[in-house]
Amino acid sequence: THHIEIAVAIGLLTYMVGALLYRFVKMRNEKDEVDHHYVQSRLRSLETQLNPHFLFNALNSIAELIHQDPNKAETAILKVSTFLRNTMDEKALIPLHNELRNVRDYIELENIRFSGKIHMHVEDVMPKIQVPKFSIQLLVENAIKHGFIEKNILEISLSYEKNQNALILKNNGNAMHSTSFGTGLTNLAQRLKLLCKGNIEISNQETPTFIIYLGDCNENTHC
């Protein structure tokens, strides 16, 4: 009888521990699912800010060209269409080479307005990594908007720092007078945090230089 009582007690204890573990795992999975849905919802919300932001600037450029050069305006409209088609990938993280292709399309569009004065230089060997969609494009857009000097050629360069897992983008335009972020860069900072636990910082104001710390972006390839 004593052995039976011990066996029953051990059985009940095992059952209780199992039930608690099951409940714990279930609650953790439910929390992870809620967190995942929150992140995805937040990312979708942030991404809806991007195309209108780009279109607003692009349409302003086209509006100027309509009066100055109708043929260039027509070419610009076709470039906008190509750019948007190439960026319709629903994933929040895309291969770096895809992002660079979108950047080249964007610069071609801007060079219609700026008569080919925007030059982009990319390090010869770039890694096969994932980056947030529109990340480099937003920095290039920012460089053109705030750094372009009409009489000069705007040189933009992009390199990769392996030890820091970071992309470094700099330009030779106007010095930066403020380190506060506008809508586009704030959006990028939030997406980097959500997707990769990464961040973005300004490392030089005289020679405008941005560093994108990619964190664990390449661990989140499902995004």
Side-chain angles (χ1 to χ4, degrees):
T1 302
H2 180 65
H3 289 304
I4 292 173
E5 289 175 349
I6 292 175
V8 169
I10 291 174
L12 286 172
L13 184 60
T14 303
Y15 171 79
M16 291 173 64
V17 170
L20 286 171
L21 285 173
Y22 171 78
R23 182 60 181 166
F24 173 77
V25 171
K26 184 179 179 181
M27 288 176 65
R28 183 173 179 178
N29 288 341
E30 288 173 350
K31 182 181 183 302
D32 288 345
E33 186 175 358
V34 169
D35 289 345
H36 175 74
H37 286 304
Y38 169 77
V39 169
Q40 294 302 314
S41 175
R42 183 69 182 128
L43 284 170
R44 283 193 294 270
S45 175
L46 288 168
E47 286 179 5
T48 59
Q49 298 175 6
L50 295 176
N51 279 350
H53 184 255
F54 162 75
L55 282 173
F56 177 78
N57 292 327
L59 291 175
N60 275 344
S61 300
I62 292 169
E64 292 177 22
L65 285 173
I66 287 172
H67 301 289
Q68 299 170 9
D69 191 330
N71 290 330
K72 279 189 175 182
E74 182 180 353
T75 303
I77 291 169
L78 293 174
K79 286 290 182 184
V80 170
S81 174
T82 301
F83 178 83
L84 291 176
R85 183 168 62 250
N86 289 340
T87 56
M88 288 180 68
D89 191 328
E90 293 184 357
K91 291 186 176 181
L93 288 169
I94 62 174
L96 175 60
H97 65 86
N98 286 359
E99 175 69 10
L100 291 176
R101 179 196 63 190
N102 296 337
V103 170
R104 284 191 289 270
D105 289 342
Y106 174 74
I107 290 175
E108 282 185 30
L109 173 63
E110 289 291 58
N111 270 329
I112 295 171
R113 180 162 63 116
F114 293 113
S115 304
K117 291 184 177 180
I118 313 298
H119 294 182
M120 178 81 173
H121 307 279
V122 178
E123 199 172 63
D124 289 339
V125 179
M126 296 297 280
K128 294 181 179 179
I129 56 175
Q130 300 275 325
V131 297
K133 184 167 59 178
F134 294 118
S135 51
I136 300 170
Q137 185 267 327
L138 279 167
L139 291 178
V140 169
E141 182 180 337
N142 185 76
I144 295 171
K145 181 179 179 181
H146 299 290
F148 184 72
I149 303 170
E150 191 168 347
K151 294 181 180 179
N152 299 336
I153 290 175
L154 181 66
E155 305 280 359
I156 303 171
S157 66
L158 178 71
S159 60
Y160 176 73
E161 175 54 56
K162 183 178 180 180
N163 291 336
Q164 296 180 305
N165 190 26
L167 290 165
I168 303 169
L169 189 138
K170 63 176 65 176
N171 70 79
N172 68 339
N174 288 316
M176 300 175 65
H177 300 296
S178 172
T179 57
S180 60
F181 289 172
T183 302
L185 295 182
T186 299
N187 181 303
L188 174 57
Q190 291 175 341
R191 287 187 297 126
L192 277 165
K193 183 178 179 180
L194 287 171
L195 285 166
C196 317
K197 297 178 183 176
N199 68 296
I200 179 172
E201 69 175 36
I202 298 167
S203 65
N204 191 324
Q205 288 181 246
E206 289 301 316
T207 303
T209 304
F210 288 88
I211 302 178
I212 299 178
Y213 295 101
L214 294 170
D216 57 9
C217 274
N218 291 292
E219 297 176 17
N220 298 330
T221 53
H222 63 282
C223 294

